[in-house]
Amino acid sequence: MWEWEYVYELLPKLLRALPATLAAAFGGFIMAVLLGILLAMASRSPNKFVKRATTGVVDFIRSTPLLVQLFFLYYSLPMLTPLAMSAFATGVIGLGLHYACYLSEVFRSSIDALPKGQWEAATALNLSKFRTWFAVILPQAIPPVIPIMGNYLIVIFKETPILSAITFVELLMRTKNETSISYRAFEPYTITGLIFIVVSLLLSLGVSRLEKRFRDKPAG
């Protein structure tokens, strides 16, 4: 039976875990964007070793489950190296590294779609590689894929429950803890599901408005 009195007592406790959940999602997203851009740039390197190494890393990470990567970073890495990270830092790095490999392909496709003349013009102006990338190529390649980036933000947010596997107290972990105390599962998991739905819908609405803004933006 659904007990509203228990719900009123439970809801504030669950909502207190929402900021940490959003922080992990946004932190992972920012890292995924920055690292994804670097991977996309490295995939176009004239150096064959750099290009092949980048492709190999991207393919390997995309081919292995995120949960396995998180376990390696949190449990195995400290045993192999002096490096030990908190559950939050591991979650952000794990999410960022995993989805950077997906976003790198998005950025690479957008870069490949630019007219060849842009590269030739930068060469004719004798621009350095740094200025070519950051003053000519990326400012044109990133705006068209901003809606796709927004969709990946939503995906990353929906993946945050997996961080409970490395003891990070996000929304799902807080729900499990409350369930273990009250021995009631119906209300906690239902409310958690509704919170995820509401936040995902709000993010989706924001992405849709951003997409409409860029679609309606006049050329030039």
Side-chain angles (χ1 to χ4, degrees):
M1 297 291 294
W2 183 271
E3 292 188 4
W4 283 106
E5 184 176 350
Y6 175 58
V7 170
Y8 296 144
E9 177 186 350
L10 176 68
L11 186 57
K13 297 179 181 178
L14 296 182
L15 289 177
R16 280 199 290 269
L18 186 58
T21 306
L22 290 172
F26 279 99
F29 173 72
I30 292 171
M31 180 178 175
V33 170
L34 297 178
L35 186 56
I37 291 173
L38 293 178
L39 289 172
M41 293 170 63
S43 68
R44 292 183 57 91
S45 172
N47 187 307
K48 291 184 178 180
F49 175 78
V50 173
K51 186 174 182 178
R52 290 175 181 175
T54 302
T55 302
V57 169
V58 169
D59 289 344
F60 175 77
I61 292 179
R62 291 180 62 181
S63 301
T64 54
L66 174 58
L67 182 59
V68 174
Q69 296 166 15
L70 290 171
F71 279 158
F72 175 80
L73 290 173
Y74 191 68
Y75 294 110
S76 301
L77 192 60
M79 299 177 65
L80 301 173
T81 68
L83 183 62
M85 298 179 289
S86 66
F88 174 77
T90 302
V92 170
I93 292 174
L95 289 170
L97 182 61
H98 186 80
Y99 284 98
C101 295
Y102 288 91
L103 280 171
S104 69
E105 294 299 299
V106 174
F107 294 135
R108 185 182 60 79
S109 298
S110 183
I111 292 169
D112 289 344
L114 292 178
K116 188 177 180 181
Q118 298 295 322
W119 298 93
E120 295 173 346
T123 302
L125 292 172
N126 199 28
L127 297 181
S128 66
K129 289 184 178 180
F130 182 87
R131 290 195 63 190
T132 298
W133 274 109
F134 291 95
V136 179
I137 302 303
L138 293 180
Q140 297 181 75
I142 292 179
V145 298
I146 285 180
I148 301 177
M149 293 164 57
N151 290 333
Y152 270 102
L153 172 60
I154 298 173
V155 171
I156 291 173
F157 170 70
K158 292 191 291 185
E159 286 279 20
T160 54
I162 204 172
L163 302 185
S164 63
I166 57 171
T167 71
F168 176 61
V169 184
E170 44 69 63
L171 190 53
L172 182 61
M173 176 65 83
R174 179 60 61 87
T175 303
K176 290 179 179 179
N177 292 341
E178 293 299 325
T179 300
S180 66
I181 295 172
S182 65
Y183 295 102
R184 296 184 64 89
F186 182 36
E187 294 91 344
Y189 284 106
T190 301
I191 294 173
T192 299
L194 291 174
I195 292 174
F196 270 99
I197 290 173
V198 170
V199 175
S200 295
L201 287 176
L202 291 175
L203 290 175
S204 180
L205 179 62
V207 170
S208 297
R209 290 187 174 182
L210 191 63
E211 182 178 6
K212 185 176 185 298
R213 178 179 178 182
F214 275 90
R215 186 175 62 245
D216 297 341
K217 186 177 180 180

